[in-house]
Amino acid sequence: MYLLALLTLFGSAFAVPLTASVERLDDLAALYVLPRDTIPTFYDVSLFLNPDNEEYFTGKVSIRILPYVTTNQIVIHAMEMTINSIEAYSDRNPTVNLFANYTLATDDTHLLRIQLNETMTILQPYTINIDYVGHYAENMFGIYVSTYGSVGQTQ
Ligand SMILES: *[C@@H]1O[C@H](CO)[C@@H](O)[C@H](O)[C@H]1NC(C)=O
Ligand SMILES: *[C@@H]1O[C@H](CO)[C@@H](O)[C@H](O)[C@H]1NC(C)=O
């Protein structure tokens, strides 16, 4: 359940080069399989599932990023979720929140673009914390609600 949720809610995350046409570049980048050593690690995922709530659940995820390019933007695939809050910290200065703003694509690219208020230092580790509300998928690709009923009960 936990692994399933992680894999379906968040896809690969990556930093994109800072250029005049970032929007287009990161959409293109999303189409490519990234080299393994540039894929950030997702770690420390917590989900808060309330069996009485079939509409949504809440979750927190921390993502570790090692930038290989000069950029202030991190792009993540994020599906079926509403963002509550985002924080971004450099390992070098773990008390200063560098998060500036984000956009979450409403089309089927599901790209979450996170902007920091300053350019990341190449090969300097960063940690991104995301608090979100996840929505149970109706198509069984994400987390889904399964209702069990005994004979005589409605399902
Ligand atoms: C980014 O935000 C942090 C926290 O508010 C601040 O300390 C830092 O100076 C900001 N950086 C820039 C380049 O504005
Ligand atoms: C998001 O933050 C970046 C970095 O501080 C800034 O350049 C950009 O204008 C902001 N975008 C919006 C829509 O506020």
Side-chain angles (χ1 to χ4, degrees):
M1 168 85 92
Y2 287 77
L3 182 61
L4 182 66
L6 175 59
L7 290 177
T8 54
L9 289 170
F10 292 100
S12 55
F14 46 93
V16 298
L18 193 63
T19 70
S21 57
V22 165
E23 296 274 312
R24 183 170 152 65
L25 254 183
D26 62 20
D27 285 347
L28 284 177
L31 301 174
Y32 291 92
V33 178
L34 299 159
R36 181 170 283 277
D37 61 357
T38 65
I39 297 177
T41 51
F42 292 86
Y43 77 107
D44 199 14
V45 177
S46 326
L47 296 179
F48 305 95
L49 305 177
N50 176 354
D52 294 331
N53 185 343
E54 296 185 3
E55 298 298 315
Y56 61 86
F57 57 93
T58 55
K60 292 173 190 283
V61 62
S62 291
I63 302 167
R64 198 125 164 104
I65 303 271
L66 197 59
Y68 283 77
V69 291
T70 303
T71 184
N72 73 334
Q73 180 173 238
I74 295 153
V75 180
I76 301 169
H77 285 116
M79 296 183 70
E80 304 286 343
M81 66 172 60
T82 307
I83 306 295
N84 278 341
S85 70
I86 298 179
E87 297 168 338
Y89 298 99
S90 152
D91 273 17
R92 204 171 37 186
N93 209 343
T95 58
V96 178
N97 185 0
L98 303 175
F99 170 72
N101 56 53
Y102 73 89
T103 60
L104 182 56
T106 51
D107 60 24
D108 62 7
T109 61
H110 302 291
L111 291 180
L112 170 62
R113 294 187 181 85
I114 299 168
Q115 308 264 359
L116 309 194
N117 74 340
E118 55 188 47
T119 302
M120 291 181 281
T121 307
I122 290 180
L123 296 184
Q124 165 78 42
Y126 288 79
T127 301
I128 312 298
N129 301 323
I130 304 174
D131 261 38
Y132 63 94
V133 176
H135 306 288
Y136 291 107
E138 287 168 7
N139 57 17
M140 296 177 70
F141 282 114
I143 293 185
Y144 55 91
V145 178
S146 174
T147 318
Y148 298 96
S150 314
V151 176
Q153 289 185 324
T154 48
Q155 297 217 342

